């Protein structure tokens, strides 16, 4: 666990830490990997119920044709591609703004 409160990593002082920025960038796909893995595991856990006399296999088969399945997959693909494009666009705008607006003001106390 990383503690960012003491300023050694640049969170409070405003210094840039390249290793922290790079590790954050490389960690971005972990969210999609975790989401996909969770979905796969939950769906994989449902399959034994079809095999064990709770739901016969012949009732578990979909009546949809290949064109219906391809259309559904295309719609999901377009929706997620649009969301990914929006995320990239917003990230690029934030990067273009720079960190000048994000820096915390430093208050000097006159009690010294």
């Amino acid at each position: 666990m990383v503690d960012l409160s003491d300023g050694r990593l640049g969170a409070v002082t405003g210094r840039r830490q390249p290793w922290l920025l790079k590790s954050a960038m490389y960690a971005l796909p972990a969210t999609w990997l975790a989401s996909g893995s969770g979905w796969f595991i939950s769906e994989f856990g449902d399959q034994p119920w079809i095999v064990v006399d709770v739901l016969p296999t012949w009732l578990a088969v979909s009546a949809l044709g290949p064109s219906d399945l391809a259309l559904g997959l295309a719609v999901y693909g377009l929706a997620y591609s649009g969301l990914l494009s929006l995320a990239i666009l917003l990230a690029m705008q934030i990067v273009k703004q720079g960190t000048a607006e994000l820096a915390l003001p430093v208050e000097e106390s006159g009690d010294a």
Side-chain angles (χ1 to χ4, degrees):
M1 185 159 189
V2 178
D3 181 19
L4 297 175
S5 63
D6 63 354
R8 290 183 298 167
L9 296 176
V12 175
T13 61
R15 292 178 290 147
R16 292 186 178 156
Q17 300 295 330
W19 67 270
L20 184 61
L21 297 174
K22 285 181 184 179
S23 63
M25 184 183 71
Y26 291 132
L28 285 175
T31 58
W32 288 291
L33 181 64
S35 177
S37 299
W39 173 81
F40 177 78
I41 289 171
S42 68
E43 290 298 321
F44 190 73
D46 290 340
Q47 298 307 312
W49 295 105
I50 293 173
V51 176
V52 182
D53 296 332
V54 174
L55 177 65
T57 309
W58 59 274
L59 283 177
V61 176
S62 175
L64 297 175
S67 61
D68 296 327
L69 298 176
L71 177 65
L73 183 61
V75 169
Y76 274 108
L78 286 173
Y80 278 106
S81 296
L83 290 174
L84 178 62
S85 300
L86 180 64
I88 291 172
L89 184 93
L90 291 174
M92 288 174 56
Q93 286 180 354
I94 291 171
V95 168
K96 284 181 184 177
Q97 287 177 357
T99 58
E101 296 88 16
L102 301 176
L104 297 174
V106 177
E107 295 182 17
E108 294 183 25
S109 63
D111 297 335

